Amino acid sequence: MRPAKFDYQRPSSVAEAIKMLSSSGGAKALAGGHESGIPALNLRLAQPDALVDIGRLSELKGISASGGKLSIGALSTHAEIAASADVKAHCAALASACANVGDPQVRNWGLLCDGIAHADPSSDPPTVLLAAGGTVHIQGTGGSRSVAASDFFVDLFTTALADGELITRIEIPSLQGKKSAYVKMTHPASRYAVLGICVVLGVEGGKCSSASVAIGGCVPKATKSAGAEAALKGSSLDDQALDAAANALMSDIASAVTGDIYAPEKYRKQMAGVYLKRAVRAALA
Amino acid sequence: MFPKFELDHTVTPSPHHPVGVKGIGETGTIASTPTVYNAVLDALKPFGIKQMDMPMTPARVWQAVQDAKANGGGH
């Protein structure tokens, strides 16, 4: 399969990239794209007039932590995030999620923000970003804005990102002092998440003082489970509380679960409960 | 010098197969699939499961256990 004809443009700054994206109606940004964008071009699901290659913009690179916040540049690869001491210290769940995305080739080419902008339901990072209470920083012709992860993921492959806008970086409040984990059921061939769960727990004196639970992979978009959070919060995170949280999660997602020939809906729903318990135990370990 | 010999053949249909065929070529690999299959069925013995369709994906094994439980199997 070959893509339809398109122009190739390489801006030297974010401002220039945004100008290029907005000057042509059918221009699309290209950064990593090898997992999603290029196949879409080759299958002609996407036929942009121009590709704006933002892959070399140094403004969009770099990972740093200060003032209780972790900042990850849009062009950070999964491999860079997985290996970053700052990410490990402030959002260990994201480091472990990125360490298990695809295979080494995917992790060395694929970008965190590529996956977030694409919003593939089987992608791992959106689930972690949502559970961790992260924000997506965006720049467009109208200036810059930031959108909370809970507002950013709108639906299947649909985000709050408008045409001509670029993700510049992701910001996550430091999870230091909290217990967090991301666990996933990995598809044996694609390594995508059949389902993935991220938990972020505050634990004080043996009791759960705060709980954030997000699930992806088996639902159209990364989704929080208020029921599971309520069941965990205030509990001593014992088996009884975990059973209650698992049941609440299954009930929260019941009408949204998607399935396929490998893992039908009712199996994924049941496994969501199992993996929630695993996630909590992994966070506490 | 190559010795002189006579060619003949024998027909011994397999009693374990409806049309009597046997595997030839890579016969060693043929055994691995039923070995795994039988191991899974052995693990599912407490549920009274005696047969499953391939491939035995996690979802199919789970479904077989659910069906067995619904039919009063397992303990």
Side-chain angles (χ1 to χ4, degrees):
Chain A
M1 300 294 266
R2 289 171 187 276
K5 202 178 165 191
F6 57 84
D7 281 337
Y8 174 83
Q9 298 168 334
R10 192 199 295 160
S12 55
S13 69
V14 171
E16 195 188 347
I18 288 162
K19 216 179 203 175
M20 286 172 174
L21 285 169
S22 55
S23 64
S24 164
K28 286 276 174 202
L30 172 73
H34 302 266
E35 271 294 274
S36 49
I38 299 296
L41 289 181
N42 287 345
L43 292 168
R44 303 206 175 190
L45 293 170
Q47 298 193 15
D49 298 333
L51 282 186
V52 179
D53 184 355
I54 58 169
R56 302 183 198 200
L57 298 179
S58 56
E59 293 167 71
L60 301 178
K61 291 181 181 171
I63 299 171
S64 62
S66 68
K69 283 179 177 172
L70 176 68
S71 175
I72 303 173
L75 295 184
S76 306
T77 63
H78 296 111
E80 284 166 352
I81 294 163
S84 161
D86 280 335
V87 179
K88 285 180 191 168
H90 296 285
C91 190
L94 183 64
S96 81
C98 286
N100 292 296
V101 168
D103 52 36
Q105 195 175 4
V106 169
R107 294 195 287 274
N108 284 325
W109 272 110
L111 309 175
L112 174 71
C113 295
D114 196 22
I116 283 171
H118 191 51
D120 186 321
S122 305
S123 173
D124 305 298
T127 308
V128 180
L129 192 67
L130 184 64
T135 50
V136 182
H137 289 251
I138 297 167
Q139 206 166 316
T141 44
S144 54
R145 64 188 181 115
S146 61
V147 179
S150 50
D151 296 323
F152 185 80
F153 301 107
V154 176
D155 205 345
L156 189 82
F157 296 112
T158 309
T159 69
L161 204 61
D163 277 346
E165 284 189 323
L166 278 182
I167 296 177
T168 52
R169 64 191 182 91
I170 301 299
E171 198 170 80
I172 295 172
S174 172
L175 301 183
Q176 268 183 345
K178 293 198 172 181
K179 311 275 188 191
S180 72
Y182 176 75
V183 296
K184 75 166 165 176
M185 175 184 274
T186 308
H187 191 281
S190 68
R191 319 305 293 169
Y192 271 119
V194 174
L195 67 91
I197 293 181
C198 185
V199 298
V200 179
L201 306 169
V203 182
E204 284 165 31
K207 292 264 182 196
C208 176
S209 57
S210 68
S212 178
V213 175
I215 183 165
C218 61
V219 283
K221 59 168 185 168
T223 303
K224 290 259 268 176
S225 170
E229 290 169 354
L232 294 173
K233 194 177 169 186
S235 79
S236 52
L237 298 172
D238 53 11
D239 288 351
Q240 206 180 342
L242 263 56
D243 281 340
N247 286 331
L249 171 65
M250 289 190 279
S251 148
D252 276 358
I253 62 169
S255 62
V257 175
T258 55
D260 61 14
I261 192 167
Y262 176 73
E265 287 163 32
K266 54 184 176 178
Y267 173 68
R268 288 201 206 208
K269 190 183 120 188
Q270 193 68 30
M271 290 305 111
V274 172
Y275 275 71
L276 171 65
K277 295 185 205 176
R278 289 188 190 177
V280 172
R281 289 184 179 125
L284 297 175
Chain B
M1 203 173 140
F2 206 61
K4 193 177 170 189
F5 58 85
E6 280 179 28
L7 278 176
D8 203 348
H9 62 266
T10 175
V11 180
T12 56
S14 167
H16 306 296
H17 191 276
V19 292
V21 296
K22 298 172 185 171
I24 58 161
E26 300 196 27
T27 43
T29 68
I30 291 172
S32 59
T33 311
T35 302
V36 172
Y37 185 97
N38 284 335
V40 175
L41 281 191
D42 186 53
L44 295 175
K45 217 177 205 171
F47 296 98
I49 297 166
K50 292 193 170 71
Q51 193 268 329
M52 269 188 69
D53 286 339
M54 299 276 279
M56 288 167 144
T57 60
R60 283 192 179 173
V61 172
W62 177 80
Q63 188 60 55
V65 171
Q66 302 311 306
D67 292 346
K69 279 181 179 171
N71 294 328
H75 39 95

